[in-house]
Amino acid sequence: AGGEMKRRDVVRSLLKNRKDLLVVAGLGSTGWDSTAAGDSPLTFPMWGAMGQAAMMGLGLALAQPKRRVLVVTGDGEALMGLGALATIGVQKPANLTVVVIDNERYGETGMQHTHTAHGVDLNGVAQACGFNVLEFEKVKSAIHSAKGPNFCAVKVQPEKIPLVLPPREG
């Protein structure tokens, strides 16, 4: 279950050399992971708003078409907002990338299995919605340059790690 990579390492790698990248961090762990990677006023954590990160990212991408936007969220939140992927696919924002950190768990409520632990393929869903689905190593550069919308679900270890609370929240 899950992947070999560690979630904090994945998020740190995504945000390395972020420059003026606008980042929307999902509920809970992805917000904490983004803060642990180095807080920035260009990061907007959706603390307490499950299911909203992808739609917030879409709004930013449409409102700021000359800026690059990255959404970093978890599998539980992505599953809750599958309609957001369809809406993004229809809108086709060229400046948006969505990365799902998939530990196959609902980390905020006790590490219960999500549907991805039972075979739901978020990359397949995103592809069906019109995203360019990329492997992790390719999405890191796509964030800054490739025409989107881009998507990557990254399997990570299902670990409970210390909180690093953001200094501000959505």
Side-chain angles (χ1 to χ4, degrees):
E4 296 299 316
M5 292 192 281
K6 293 181 175 267
R7 61 178 311 118
R8 289 252 163 100
D9 294 340
V10 168
V11 174
R12 188 177 305 108
S13 178
L14 291 169
L15 298 181
K16 186 179 179 183
N17 304 320
R18 68 178 286 162
K19 300 175 185 134
D20 62 348
L21 180 68
L22 300 175
V23 177
V24 177
L27 170 78
S29 297
T30 51
W32 306 329
D33 296 341
S34 296
T35 301
D39 187 45
S40 167
L42 299 178
T43 299
F44 190 79
M46 297 301 299
W47 198 357
M50 187 168 181
Q52 299 304 309
M55 291 308 290
M56 256 321 229
L58 173 61
L60 268 177
L62 294 176
Q64 297 287 327
K66 294 183 178 165
R67 303 283 301 268
R68 301 299 296 193
V69 179
L70 170 64
V71 173
V72 181
T73 192
D75 52 308
E77 182 170 6
L79 288 162
M80 183 181 203
L82 286 177
L85 298 181
T87 300
I88 292 167
V90 168
Q91 292 292 314
K92 298 186 184 341
N95 57 332
L96 179 63
T97 299
V98 176
V99 176
V100 175
I101 308 299
D102 184 0
N103 65 358
E104 301 181 350
R105 302 290 192 279
Y106 290 107
E108 309 314 303
T109 61
M111 299 298 277
Q112 303 90 345
H113 285 132
T114 66
H115 296 327
T116 63
H118 301 284
V120 172
D121 176 7
L122 290 173
N123 284 321
V125 171
Q127 185 172 18
C129 290
F131 281 80
N132 304 315
V133 176
L134 304 168
E135 295 176 9
F136 178 63
E137 288 304 317
K138 291 187 178 178
V139 82
K140 290 191 295 184
S141 61
I143 290 167
H144 300 284
S145 60
K147 183 178 180 189
N150 301 302
F151 186 92
C152 180
V154 183
K155 293 285 187 177
V156 298
Q157 295 176 9
E159 57 185 340
K160 281 294 263 183
I161 49 183
L163 309 181
V164 180
L165 298 177
R168 68 195 149 279
E169 43 123 334

